[in-house]
Amino acid sequence: MSQRQPTSRRRFLKHAGVFLVTGIATSGSDTVISSDPHSVAAELIRLLHMRDQAGHVGHAYLKAGGDPNLPSVADLTRTLLERLGFDVQHLTLVPTGTLRSIVVEKVHQDYEEEHVAVVDDWLLSETEANLCAILFLESREKPGLI
Amino acid sequence: MFIDSYKLPNEHVIEADVCIVGAGAAGISMAREFIGTSQKVVVLESGGLEYDERTQSLYHGKNIGLPTFAVHTNRLRFFGGTTNHWAGHCRPLDALDFQRRDWVPDSGWPISKADLDPYYRRTQPICQLGDYKYEDLGFFEKQTGQRRLKLNPSRLKSVVYNQSPPTRFGIVYREELRNAQNVAVYLNANVLQLESDPSASHVTVARAACIEGPRFLARARVFVLATGGMENPRLLLLSRGANPTGLGNDNDLVGRYFMDHVLLRPGIDISFSVPDVNLRLYHDLHQVAGGQMFSVLAASEQRMRQEGLTNFRIHLVPDELHYDHPIGYVFSALDGDTSREFANPEGYGSIGLHLVLEPVPNPESRITLGKKHDLFDQQHIEVNWQLTEAEVANAHRAMELAAIEFGRMGLGRGFGKILRDPPFWPGNLEAGKHHCGTTRMSDNPKTGVVDADCRVHGIDNLYIAGSSVFPVIGYANPTLTIIALALRLTDHLKGRLD
């Protein structure tokens, strides 16, 4: 197996440039990371298959957190983006493929550093668990999602 | 030669240089080593050449500790012993298993792996195995064309296991012993107790009897108990003529430190997140270098030291799903980059990770004599198998490490109740049927029953063969080590008798 080359946010910023804009702008292959990260939740959720199962895991993860007040999609997405190294206070254009690579790298890092959670007897990376939680929360607002 | 003890006259006296009690893996291996020498050797075997219910009933006992298999089902009491139903998995103990480990109380052997290596080599053909190449997995990868998992070596490693056919010692070595002139195997010869001089420092006779048949005795220069991890201590405890606590039991150690491997089958399942995961090196048998092999996962020494874990191994076993909804595929997009190379055309699926865990030596886990009696009116054993919080914590961590590794490698996600925190034993906890530790080896008679030569402390002519002498058990199945120790003991006895 070839050595994986990490695609970090720092590497992206160094090589691809960062576009800071004051308005919301998107292109067909870009994802906007913005102060209203609700718009990026859909891109993150697309990384998950079997959405009924993913939603079940997300629900279990949120319940295990013990707080009866569930976070909003926006809040949880914002938290996850910050975990991934993004500054959500400023607009950033990120190619969708790069966002995916960053998430993949973060999941790998989670396992490497043992940032894991046991959800419903499944051992997952914390990033994975958060993705599932975002999907669950989104499905409550958009019933046809799962 | 074989002698049916039922044909002996009552009160017959057998004279020999060496009297071996028990014809299982250890007893038969020792007897074979004496063939053609100048020593007269007798083997006293409780059973006949075939299974017999009444003889087997002598193995009855009571479990008073953790639930495990019924005592009489764990072992077989006829010629060949428990090799008549063993599974044939073979691997030597690791070098670390012989060392004193600060984080494992009462660990360490008074001998090293290097002391036993020459005997392990000699054991390979006895168990009909291939070349002695346990440390060279790369060789088997080249020969089989299969690759090991890319594990983080600070967590887990892949190791070699050999597979015996399995060798049924009672069948494979029957004719050789039948034709041996200086070795006599007495069948249906139940040793009831050993008698000694009044100071209990020298064994004089082994008293034996047939069920509803003649009684007789054997005199020898040296005696070897080779009746297994449960029966060896039983015979010592029953031999109370000169010592009311039993022979070799001045320090109340006979029967203590009873150990068995802790099994979770499975410990966890892995739901694959990518198709075509190739684990054939692990779950197939490969014919290589004159024998059969497969690989298992084992603990990293670095991790054991760092976290104070006992040793463990993990078998990768295709088995039934243990959950309603496998979620590996949920994350397949995330794992797509890392796993394409490691593919064969089998599709998505799952695999069971079966855990075999080394227990911590525990003096409260023990074999004692019970209230019920056998056909000879001798006390059956009571088995008080005990585990501590350390074992469940170790099992939890072992399975957690495995689940983390499969996630890190992008192959799948792990599921199992053992992953919960705080850890608890799930319902499928089992014993490995590897009875060890009950006459443990130590240089110090206050911490062991036998010395480094397997001689019972304080008794100049009584030795013990078998897994009861293991002070710790590692993760490897015990049979290879049992036979290696038996060969080593035979060399020692030959030197002594010559």
Side-chain angles (χ1 to χ4, degrees):
Chain A
M1 189 184 295
S2 61
Q3 188 71 26
R4 175 214 283 271
Q5 296 299 317
T7 307
S8 66
R9 176 173 179 269
R10 182 168 298 182
R11 180 187 292 261
F12 163 71
L13 292 174
K14 180 180 174 187
H15 295 291
V18 172
F19 302 91
L20 296 177
V21 300
T22 57
I24 296 174
T26 61
S27 71
S29 61
D30 290 342
T31 304
V32 175
I33 309 296
S34 72
S35 59
D36 177 18
H38 203 296
S39 61
V40 84
E43 284 301 322
L44 291 171
I45 291 168
R46 282 171 58 172
L47 295 171
L48 301 173
H49 295 171
M50 283 172 63
R51 289 185 173 185
D52 55 339
Q53 296 308 312
H56 174 79
V57 168
H59 188 196
Y61 181 58
L62 290 166
K63 273 172 62 176
D67 187 347
N69 299 315
L70 296 178
S72 67
V73 171
D75 283 344
L76 195 55
T77 305
R78 197 175 293 122
T79 304
L80 180 57
L81 288 173
E82 286 172 342
R83 220 178 120 74
L84 294 172
F86 289 101
D87 178 359
V88 297
Q89 299 305 316
H90 299 93
L91 288 171
T92 306
L93 277 175
V94 178
T96 303
T98 302
L99 175 64
R100 177 179 174 280
S101 297
I102 290 171
V103 172
V104 167
E105 185 58 34
K106 185 63 180 170
V107 166
H108 183 83
Q109 185 185 11
D110 280 351
Y111 282 111
E112 198 62 72
E113 296 175 0
E114 301 196 19
H115 297 307
V116 295
V118 176
V119 181
D120 214 20
D121 296 340
W122 290 96
L123 189 143
L124 305 175
S125 93
E126 287 181 358
T127 300
E128 288 169 339
N130 276 288
L131 283 173
C132 292
I134 290 171
L135 171 63
F136 171 74
L137 293 171
E138 188 80 336
S139 72
R140 281 154 55 100
E141 296 176 23
K142 296 174 186 170
L145 190 61
I146 290 182
Chain B
M1 67 189 83
F2 284 103
I3 297 171
D4 182 356
S5 304
Y6 274 102
K7 297 190 171 134
L8 296 174
N10 209 23
E11 302 304 329
H12 179 70
V13 177
I14 302 165
E15 300 278 358
D17 295 303
V18 183
C19 174
I20 300 170
V21 182
I28 287 177
S29 296
M30 292 188 69
R32 293 180 64 235
E33 291 293 307
F34 279 109
I35 294 174
T37 68
S38 61
Q39 311 302 334
K40 183 178 176 190
V41 177
V42 298
V43 182
L44 304 180
E45 165 54 42
S46 165
L49 293 176
E50 304 295 331
Y51 178 86
D52 170 72
E53 280 286 351
R54 285 198 313 172
T55 306
Q56 187 68 20
S57 76
L58 297 171
Y59 265 167
H60 275 259
K62 188 177 177 186
N63 279 320
I64 61 172
L66 284 169
T68 180
F69 298 98
V71 173
H72 67 287
T73 63
N74 285 347
R75 45 218 176 117
L76 290 171
R77 196 163 170 137
F78 63 103
F79 183 69
T82 303
T83 70
N84 287 302
H85 73 180
W86 74 305
H89 293 168
C90 292
R91 184 179 162 84
L93 291 172
D94 288 347
L96 181 68
D97 296 327
F98 290 87
Q99 297 167 16
R100 170 98 180 97
R101 289 173 271 171
D102 293 337
W103 63 97
V104 182
D106 297 317
S107 61
W109 295 57
I111 60 174
S112 68
K113 174 95 184 301
D115 291 328
L116 217 47
D117 265 331
Y119 299 100
Y120 277 130
R121 281 181 191 278
R122 284 167 54 184
T123 301
Q124 290 286 106
I126 294 174
C127 292
Q128 298 172 300
L129 303 171
D131 297 343
Y132 186 62
K133 274 183 175 304
Y134 290 94
E135 303 309 316
D136 189 0
L137 182 57
F139 169 81
F140 293 102
E141 285 180 294
K142 287 200 188 80
Q143 294 294 314
T144 61
Q146 302 297 328
R147 288 184 294 154
R148 75 184 84 179
L149 288 165
K150 301 279 186 181
L151 297 163
N152 180 333
S154 78
R155 292 198 182 105
L156 297 173
K157 61 186 179 186
S158 299
V159 299
V160 175
Y161 241 81
N162 280 186
Q163 177 65 54
S164 173
T167 308
R168 304 292 182 216
F169 278 54
I171 294 172
V172 172
Y173 299 115
R174 185 177 300 187
E175 287 313 301
E176 187 181 354
L177 287 168
R178 192 191 300 281
N179 296 329
Q181 297 302 304
N182 65 315
V183 177
V185 179
Y186 285 78
L187 301 173
N188 306 303
N190 298 282
V191 171
L192 304 180
Q193 61 177 317
L194 302 175
E195 292 181 358
S196 69
D197 64 358
S199 65
S201 61
H202 182 86
V203 173
T204 54
V205 303
R207 286 213 174 265
C210 300
I211 297 174
E212 295 178 354
R215 292 190 170 239
F216 52 98
L217 59 88
R219 288 202 192 101
R221 293 164 64 192
V222 296
F223 293 83
V224 181
L225 285 186
T227 56
M230 290 186 172
E231 196 70 0
N232 278 348
R234 179 178 181 239
L235 280 173
L236 292 177
L237 293 171
L238 287 171
S239 302
R240 289 175 286 213
N243 183 344
T245 64
L247 213 51
N249 200 24
D250 290 344
N251 292 300
D252 187 29
L253 289 170
V254 173
R256 287 193 185 270
Y257 292 96
F258 170 70
M259 295 178 289
D260 201 340
H261 283 121
V262 180
L263 266 54
L264 289 178
R265 299 189 292 188
I268 62 174
D269 288 292
I270 300 293
S271 169
F272 293 136
S273 54
V274 291
D276 313 329
V277 179
N278 184 346
L279 295 171
R280 288 206 179 105
L281 186 65
Y282 301 89
H283 59 64
D284 285 358
L285 274 181
H286 304 277
Q287 188 75 34
V288 181
Q292 292 183 306
M293 67 76 61
F294 58 98
S295 184
V296 301
L297 309 183
S300 131
E301 180 172 330
Q302 174 189 344
R303 185 64 52 151
M304 283 192 277
R305 288 184 183 281
Q306 196 177 322
E307 298 190 18
L309 302 175
T310 54
N311 221 335
F312 61 84
R313 73 178 195 264
I314 300 169
H315 291 253
L316 306 187
V317 180
D319 65 10
E320 294 174 3
L321 291 178
H322 293 91
Y323 38 77
D324 292 329
H325 303 286
I327 69 163
Y329 184 54
V330 168
F331 306 104
S332 59
L334 296 174
D335 289 347
D337 284 350
T338 61
S339 48
R340 288 199 192 284
E341 294 184 27
F342 209 75
N344 71 22
E346 284 184 354
Y348 289 84
S350 64
I351 198 145
L353 268 53
H354 292 204
L355 174 68
V356 180
L357 176 73
E358 174 189 31
V360 176
N362 177 2
E364 300 310 312
S365 180
R366 62 190 300 199
I367 305 278
T368 52
L369 296 177
K371 296 186 176 57
K372 294 203 168 173
H373 291 68
D374 66 10
L375 293 173
F376 292 105
D377 201 26
Q378 293 199 294
Q379 289 162 279
H380 280 304
I381 56 174
E382 288 187 344
V383 180
N384 188 359
W385 184 40
Q386 291 294 324
L387 297 175
T388 68
E389 286 181 2
E391 279 87 5
V392 70
N394 286 348
H396 166 84
R397 187 55 176 149
M399 293 287 85
E400 190 176 63
L401 288 169
I404 286 169
E405 278 298 285
F406 272 86
R408 184 193 64 77
M409 290 185 290
L411 294 178
R413 303 296 178 272
F415 169 91
K417 289 188 171 59
I418 190 64
L419 294 170
R420 293 184 194 176
D421 204 6
F424 66 94
W425 289 118
N428 62 336
L429 169 67
E430 291 176 278
K433 304 181 198 170
H434 303 145
H435 315 132
C436 302
T438 48
T439 63
R440 69 200 315 260
M441 187 191 283
S442 172
D443 279 338
N444 183 346
K446 293 202 182 311
T447 56
V449 174
V450 302
D451 64 17
D453 293 323
C454 297
R455 186 182 62 82
V456 176
H457 284 292
I459 303 177
D460 66 358
N461 66 339
L462 177 61
Y463 294 82
I464 297 183
S467 54
S468 64
V469 307
F470 293 16
V472 294
I473 63 174
Y475 65 73
N477 298 68
T479 303
L480 216 68
T481 303
I482 286 169
I483 299 168
L485 285 169
L487 298 181
R488 179 174 174 270
L489 173 55
T490 312
D491 279 0
H492 171 80
L493 291 178
K494 284 179 181 175
R496 171 180 169 158
L497 293 168
D498 287 342

